[in-house]
Amino acid sequence: MPLDQPVKIFIVDDEALARERLRTLLGDLAPLYPHVVVGEAASGQAALDSLRELAVDVVLCDIRMPGMDGIELALHLTRLPRPPAVIFTTAYDNFAVQAFELNALDYLMKPVRLQRLLVALQKLPGPGVDGEQLAALGQSLRGGGRSHLSCHERGRLLLVPVSEVLYLRADLKYVMARTLEREYLLDDSLAQLEQEFPDRFLRLHRAVLVAREALAGFEKASGDDVEAYGWALLRGLPEKLPISRRQWAAAKAAGAAGNA
């Protein structure tokens, strides 16, 4: 990468000592590699809050962190207008191998060494991270789906806590996520979300997934109702969701299990 301008670097690690070590190493590299550390964060969520407003060239990102881990953070970063390159840092060999397979710019084993950090930075620009592979790897490593969904609204990337989503509904090219407060349009497909969160969301209809804990009851549709075989009632919302004939038995069974 031409170094006519300093490379903008952002550090993400939940351990203060790890962030300090990276800052020290980067300081030692300054004569060889012009750069500026423009910020740091102790969590994926805090990092994304900053990086939505701050354009950077590369993120040095720990993989295993409480809450939003590094894999999920990297996935959300791919949806920024100008995604930064990602260099993963990790203390776990198996994470490193899998991270490298994602086409991340590079990965660094902890404790990070000076020469190895320089080699990684010199790869800029590098290949983009594969979003689908990131999602699959993250699900495997953490044993479940993301903590947040993301959507673009008025030029900004917003995060939607999965725990607050009551249902998901396909709407033309988008999927609408409904919380108690409002609706969000997502870029994910309904099929992807169903696969990522099988324990949280239940399919009611070819176009609808509902959070199992949001189910409050059921109604059989009238005989002349062409939209649905039945209806799901929701906790906290007046609206009803359609249930297809195929999904009716499974939905009622899931509702009964949830209320047991």
Side-chain angles (χ1 to χ4, degrees), residues 151 153-154 158 176-185:
C151 74
E153 187 175 284
R154 300 186 183 92
L158 302 181
M176 185 270 289
R178 182 70 160 93
T179 68
L180 277 175
E181 290 77 24
R182 53 167 294 189
E183 299 175 351
Y184 299 86
L185 289 182

Side-chain angles (χ1 to χ4, degrees), residues 6-51:
V7 173
K8 296 177 181 177
I9 299 174
F10 195 94
I11 299 171
V12 189
D13 199 301
D14 62 305
E15 296 181 0
L17 288 177
R19 299 196 305 275
E20 181 179 350
R21 177 175 177 80
L22 285 174
R23 286 197 308 271
T24 299
L25 292 176
L26 288 166
D28 292 341
L29 285 179
L32 300 172
Y33 192 87
H35 68 275
V36 56
V37 177
V38 297
E40 64 177 61
S43 69
Q45 174 93 49
L48 191 58
D49 288 343
S50 296
L51 293 169

Side-chain angles (χ1 to χ4, degrees), residues 53-150:
E53 308 293 339
L54 187 65
V56 303
D57 299 304
V58 61
V59 175
L60 295 171
C61 179
D62 187 24
I63 288 181
R64 175 164 279 185
M65 295 183 290
M68 183 187 294
D69 58 33
I71 299 294
E72 181 175 347
L73 170 62
L75 177 58
H76 291 309
L77 292 178
T78 66
R79 297 178 178 179
L80 292 175
R82 182 173 171 256
V86 175
I87 296 175
F88 286 117
T89 64
T90 180
Y92 303 90
D93 290 340
N94 60 322
F95 286 9
V97 172
Q98 290 170 301
F100 188 71
E101 292 173 350
L102 293 172
N103 288 331
L105 182 64
D106 207 339
Y107 66 90
L108 303 171
M109 292 296 299
K110 294 181 178 181
V112 177
R113 305 298 181 186
L114 184 68
Q115 185 61 35
R116 186 67 185 85
L117 176 58
L118 177 60
V119 169
L121 290 170
Q122 287 175 330
K123 292 182 179 181
L124 282 169
V129 180
D130 187 301
E132 289 189 10
Q133 287 184 321
L134 271 174
L137 175 58
Q139 191 168 358
S140 172
L141 293 179
R142 73 179 72 94
R146 290 165 283 171
S147 62
H148 293 74
L149 305 177
S150 56

Side-chain angles (χ1 to χ4, degrees), residues 185-251:
L185 289 182
L186 311 178
D187 294 327
D188 305 271
S189 73
L190 207 63
Q192 289 173 331
L193 293 166
E194 182 180 25
Q195 183 177 12
E196 185 174 357
F197 302 100
D199 295 332
R200 176 163 183 81
F201 295 108
L202 173 72
R203 183 170 287 277
L204 297 181
H205 186 276
R206 59 182 174 78
V208 179
L209 300 176
V210 67
R212 296 171 188 269
E213 63 185 35
L215 286 171
F218 302 90
E219 288 181 359
K220 196 72 174 289
S222 60
D224 58 352
D225 195 329
V226 296
E227 185 178 354
Y229 182 76
W231 298 95
L233 309 180
L234 303 174
R235 303 182 194 280
L237 291 178
E239 59 206 84
K240 298 183 288 187
L241 297 176
I243 307 173
S244 67
R245 181 184 294 271
R246 170 183 286 186
Q247 302 298 333
W248 177 253

